Amino acid sequence: MAYSKSNPFMDTDVRSREYAVELDRNDSLRHFRNEFLVPTKADLRSRTLATSPLRDAAGLEEPSIYLCGNSLGLQPRRTSERIQSHLTTWAKKGVFGHFVEHHDSALPPFLHVDHAAAKKMAPIVGASESEVAVMETLTANIHLLMSSFYKPTKEKFRIIMEGKAFPSDRYAVESQIRHHGLDPKDAIILLDPIEPSTSIVSTSQVLATIDKYASSTALVWLPGVQYYTGQYWDIKTITAHAHSKGLPIGWDLAHAAGNVELQLHDWDVDFAVWCSYKYLNSGPGGIGALFVHEKHGKVDMEAMDQGKQGYRPRLSGWWGGDKATRFSMGNSFLPIPGAAGFQVGNPSALALTAVLASLEIFAETDMKVIRTKSINITNYLEELLLQPPSHGSSNPYRIITPSAPEERGAQLSVLLEEGLLDGVMAELESAGIVVDERKPDVVRVAPAPLYNSYTDVWDFVRIFREACEKVKGTRDAGANGSVMANGGKEEKGWGLIK
């Protein structure tokens, strides 16, 4: 039974925890929670990795409420098994692990693990397996693909991008522009909200900007889901409009892959990149991935036989070369057709193994089912957050993520009243709740459909609202700050994590 504003359980108050329990009982994805390791409250408080002596303390053996999959997804239980299998293969077979299949292992030989990952990744982004390569990291992949798709001329040299892009995207774009001897001040067109108080860039504004600058633009580069607001951009409409003006367009899908339904091939997207450690649960700094539409990945053997290049220009490396001749050590580069031909170096089989463990779980369902729960559980989170306080005043926060379900993923960004963030974060951490923040006043809450429950959401909202009221009333409850809000004495730089 899906959540809706009308109550499917007529004898249960929609604002009650019992209602959340009923939603969980009727959740078709509920069994996937057992596929993940949820840190306990004791685990989070402990300063060692050994079993915490706090585990038996009242309430601390309970699992935390982890609503931070937009920053780092939880570890699948099978990850350690797959990695151990990889290590055992390496230990027992050495270099032969590249080629030998084992009947008692779920993993392919090292040589083929990249293809196995691409095959499982492709359905998640709506692509054919030949259009996907699992490789490198997100920013490295931005550079690799921009080197192929950003071809400035004297007349057309600009890049249209969002004004509040994640910093690494901005750095990559600026460095690509400088690499061509151009000035970013002249070559970047920024999309900022027309109404800054909304934090949202409308599709009509994007289309109008493309129209205005089409004659001088060489590339459009945008986010699938905006990391700060959680806004899901209209990839299909914007891509079609860019193409109508003859412009190539690429997408950063760091917060979209594994989060929302994507149809990159059918939407005719030119190229895209994403990481795998957020909703795709591959682990900190996990391997990245990219998409190149099949029309850009073709290899014309006849043209090559005539001495022409025969394929799209790119920065090349041996792992993107024809597999059949890869170990012949020749000096004539023949790319693999498709996205695999954009590979550069030998990808880490260990990192690929980690992402494969999570992709196995995704393969047991599909993105349509995941997206359905995502919409339902995020709607439920919104409904609870918007309930007015019992004392009749207004809430000391507002949601800056679009309210339309089709315009957001599994994230709500909550803008607190000024001065509340540090104290609220400290209260949440004390209660064993993991969310993240963006200075100066935003808390990002991300209920991941595969492992978060409606009960998680209900418990979070209750504690969050109490924390807001407490900190608002005292204004000094968070004087000591929190690990995440202040970066902590030991773990600095939370605000830099994407």
Side-chain angles (χ1 to χ4, degrees):
M1 179 71 70
Y3 165 76
S4 65
K5 293 184 179 180
S6 60
N7 185 359
F9 315 113
M10 298 307 296
D11 296 329
T12 308
D13 183 351
V14 296
R15 295 168 296 180
S16 69
R17 195 173 192 275
E18 289 73 19
Y19 184 73
V21 171
E22 288 293 333
L23 290 172
D24 285 331
R25 189 174 292 123
N26 289 275
D27 174 16
S28 64
L29 295 178
R30 65 186 182 280
H31 61 288
F32 282 111
R33 182 179 174 90
N34 293 327
E35 292 281 351
F36 294 88
L37 296 167
V38 183
T40 67
K41 295 177 181 179
D43 290 333
L44 295 179
R45 292 193 179 191
S46 176
R47 291 299 181 184
T48 69
L49 294 177
T51 300
S52 173
L54 298 172
R55 183 178 291 276
D56 296 328
L60 293 183
E61 76 285 354
E62 298 174 355
S64 62
I65 300 173
Y66 193 91
L67 296 164
C68 207
N70 58 336
S71 281
L72 180 66
L74 290 179
Q75 182 185 138
R77 291 182 182 274
R78 64 184 78 182
T79 299
S80 59
E81 298 173 11
R82 298 293 180 264
I83 288 178
Q84 186 56 57
S85 179
H86 166 82
L87 295 175
T88 300
T89 302
W90 178 25
K92 293 190 173 184
K93 300 293 181 172
V95 71
F96 293 132
H98 282 87
F99 316 105
V100 178
E101 293 188 9
H102 301 94
H103 300 304
D104 57 350
S105 174
L107 298 176
F110 304 156
L111 184 62
H112 304 302
V113 68
D114 57 335
H115 176 72
K119 185 175 182 178
K120 281 186 163 56
M121 185 74 79
I124 294 173
V125 296
S128 67
E129 60 187 76
S130 66
E131 293 176 310
V132 172
V134 183
M135 55 182 276
E136 305 293 342
T137 59
L138 188 150
T139 304
N141 288 333
I142 293 176
H143 281 295
L144 288 170
L145 292 185
M146 281 196 173
S147 73
S148 182
F149 285 90
Y150 178 52
K151 300 296 182 182
T153 66
K154 183 177 181 180
E155 293 76 24
K156 296 174 72 70
F157 59 93
R158 290 190 164 116
I159 296 178
I160 297 174
M161 67 181 300
E162 60 156 333
K164 199 173 178 61
F166 188 74
S168 195
D169 289 52
R170 182 66 173 267
Y171 304 155
V173 168
E174 289 189 358
S175 63
Q176 286 285 328
I177 289 169
R178 290 192 177 98
H179 181 70
H180 287 278
L182 301 170
D183 188 340
K185 293 179 182 177
D186 301 322
I188 295 179
I189 301 299
L190 295 178
L191 281 160
D192 287 307
I194 295 175
E195 295 292 336
S197 62
T198 69
S199 302
I200 301 301
V201 176
S202 68
T203 299
S204 61
Q205 180 186 347
V206 178
L207 303 187
T209 301
I210 291 173
D211 287 342
K212 181 176 180 180
Y213 293 99
S215 63
S216 61
T217 294
L219 179 68
V220 182
W221 174 249
L222 298 172
V225 172
Q226 212 282 337
Y227 82 96
Y228 180 78
T229 64
Q231 178 188 2
Y232 178 21
W233 292 41
D234 189 342
I235 298 174
K236 179 180 179 180
T237 298
I238 296 170
T239 297
H241 194 73
H243 287 170
S244 74
K245 303 298 179 180
L247 303 179
I249 182 168
W251 294 88
D252 178 343
L253 304 178
H255 287 263
N259 178 14
V260 295
E261 272 193 279
L262 300 167
Q263 296 296 331
L264 300 185
H265 176 85
D266 291 346
W267 295 341
D268 203 27
V269 167
D270 292 303
F271 69 99
V273 301
W274 59 96
C275 56
S276 63
Y277 53 82
K278 300 179 186 299
Y279 297 97
L280 295 175
N281 314 303
S282 70
I287 196 164
L290 59 78
F291 165 90
V292 177
H293 197 280
E294 65 177 8
K295 65 187 177 184
H296 300 302
K298 294 178 179 179
V299 178
D300 186 341
M301 293 299 299
E302 184 177 341
M304 294 186 70
D305 289 341
Q306 296 172 2
K308 301 176 183 178
Q309 184 158 328
Y311 57 87
R312 187 177 186 87
R314 69 200 64 186
L315 295 178
S316 302
W318 82 303
W319 212 256
D322 179 42
K323 239 180 187 180
T325 60
R326 180 179 288 162
F327 291 95
S328 299
M329 303 302 169
N331 289 321
S332 296
F333 179 68
L334 173 60
I336 302 170
F342 287 78
Q343 295 178 108
V344 182
N346 188 349
S348 166
L350 181 61
L352 286 164
T353 297
V355 74
L356 268 173
S358 179
L359 296 179
E360 289 177 13
I361 298 172
F362 277 85
E364 294 175 14
T365 179
D366 61 57
M367 283 307 302
K368 185 176 293 294
V369 175
I370 291 171
R371 176 63 170 155
T372 297
K373 179 180 175 181
S374 173
I375 290 173
N376 289 334
I377 199 168
T378 308
N379 285 349
Y380 181 60
L381 171 62
E382 179 186 46
E383 182 78 2
L384 293 179
L385 284 171
L386 293 179
Q387 292 289 328
S390 57
H391 50 69
S393 63
S394 60
N395 288 314
Y397 57 79
R398 63 184 177 89
I399 298 170
I400 61 173
T401 306
S403 59
E406 67 275 12
E407 295 178 9
R408 65 189 184 198
Q411 173 185 320
L412 293 184
S413 297
V414 184
L415 179 66
L416 303 177
E417 288 182 3
E418 185 177 355
L420 297 184
L421 181 63
D422 287 359
V424 169
M425 288 295 290
E427 291 291 323
L428 295 179
E429 288 175 32
S430 178
I433 291 176
V434 184
V435 292
D436 84 354
E437 50 83 15
R438 287 295 179 269
K439 293 287 189 178
D441 299 306
V442 169
V443 174
R444 302 189 309 166
V445 189
L450 285 178
Y451 52 76
N452 281 127
S453 66
Y454 291 90
T455 310
D456 283 340
V457 167
W458 192 93
D459 289 340
F460 160 75
V461 173
R462 177 184 63 81
I463 295 168
F464 174 73
R465 289 166 67 93
E466 290 174 356
C468 288
E469 290 303 315
K470 178 179 178 181
V471 176
K472 182 181 179 182
T474 62
R475 295 286 172 172
D476 61 357
N480 294 324
S482 69
V483 171
M484 291 186 178
N486 289 341
K489 299 297 183 182
E490 299 157 6
E491 299 90 7
K492 291 187 179 296
W494 173 256
L496 298 180
I497 298 174
K498 188 171 182 180

